[in-house]
Amino acid sequence: MSLVQPTGLLRKLMPGAIWRMPASGKVVYLTFDDGPTPDVTNQVLAMLKVANASATFFCIGKNIVANPDLFAQLTALGHQVGNHSFSHKNGWKTDFQSYLSDVQECDKWVNTGLFRPPYGRLSFRQFIYLRKRYRIILWDVLSMDYDVKLSPDQCLKNVINHVRPGSIITFHDSVKAWPRLKQILPLVLSDLTRQGYRFETLFPIKF
């Protein structure tokens, strides 16, 4: 799944998943996948602080285990966290029980009831099971900052040209995405602030 802004048909394939939040004023929801990552997540946090922006971080369990202090910093700063599985398995390529076990393993560190499937990929059976236990969060705008073939300018346009009130915008605080993220995030924050947007967490904080 790599569409910058998912079609209505695609959204219907996962009924009950959250692709966009209710549009109550000029509010957007920044999300970051795949951290916490040393020398990346901490710089993202610094950028968000400058912009007085709150965000939601969908964390990989094994990265939390490897970087507990960085994860603690995330929560101490008031950002929301969500489950992004323990080892970033692809739901389309993983059997039902192995996938569920991997998601549940991450709950030992992130138990907020929020889940984003890696790659946005779930089998229908996985989805039906997980939606009863989590709020499944997808996206309204995908920056595609993980794509090494894209320039930072292309990733920036992916966001600025598609954002709207209530948008859930997805970035990645990973080593792979950092060459693009470090250039586009300050620009997204400044541009949307200038347009009058606020940056909030998806739901009330629960740790």
Side-chain angles (χ1 to χ4, degrees), residues 136-197:
I136 298 180
I137 311 296
L138 293 164
W139 57 81
D140 183 52
V141 178
L142 184 62
S143 68
M144 296 184 69
D145 54 359
Y146 55 83
D147 191 336
V148 298
K149 298 177 182 178
L150 296 184
S151 68
D153 186 59
Q154 288 172 303
C155 294
L156 178 63
K157 289 178 179 176
N158 286 344
V159 177
I160 299 301
N161 292 347
H162 294 90
V163 71
R164 52 186 172 169
S167 284
I168 298 173
I169 306 170
T170 296
F171 301 99
H172 296 76
D173 54 325
S174 65
V175 171
K176 183 179 181 181
W178 183 236
R180 287 156 297 285
L181 180 62
K182 68 181 178 182
Q183 296 190 51
I184 69 172
L185 183 56
L187 298 175
V188 168
L189 290 167
S190 62
D191 186 89
L192 295 186
T193 298
R194 187 167 55 249
Q195 293 185 47
Y197 280 98

Side-chain angles (χ1 to χ4, degrees), residues 1 10 13-19 83-85 88-96 98-103 114-132 134-139:
M1 189 181 299
L10 187 57
L13 294 176
M14 293 190 186
I18 298 171
W19 298 84
N83 183 326
H84 199 45
S85 80
H88 207 262
K89 292 183 182 295
N90 185 330
W92 292 357
K93 299 179 180 180
T94 309
D95 70 84
F96 179 75
S98 295
Y99 191 85
L100 296 186
S101 296
D102 198 66
V103 173
L114 305 183
F115 173 65
R116 173 173 282 163
Y119 314 102
R121 295 174 179 173
L122 288 173
S123 71
F124 189 68
R125 186 183 178 198
Q126 291 163 353
F127 173 72
I128 292 299
Y129 182 88
L130 290 169
R131 76 173 182 179
K132 297 176 183 176
Y134 302 90
R135 285 171 165 150
I136 298 180
I137 311 296
L138 293 164
W139 57 81

Side-chain angles (χ1 to χ4, degrees), residues 10-59:
L10 187 57
R11 295 169 193 253
K12 290 179 181 178
L13 294 176
M14 293 190 186
I18 298 171
W19 298 84
R20 182 184 176 208
M21 296 292 281
S24 55
K26 300 193 79 171
V27 181
V28 292
Y29 303 86
L30 306 179
T31 66
F32 296 85
D33 291 2
D34 297 352
T37 307
D39 301 321
V40 176
T41 304
N42 55 309
Q43 296 189 67
V44 169
L45 292 173
M47 293 176 186
L48 294 175
K49 186 175 182 178
V50 168
N52 193 30
S54 297
T56 302
F57 289 78
F58 287 94
C59 298

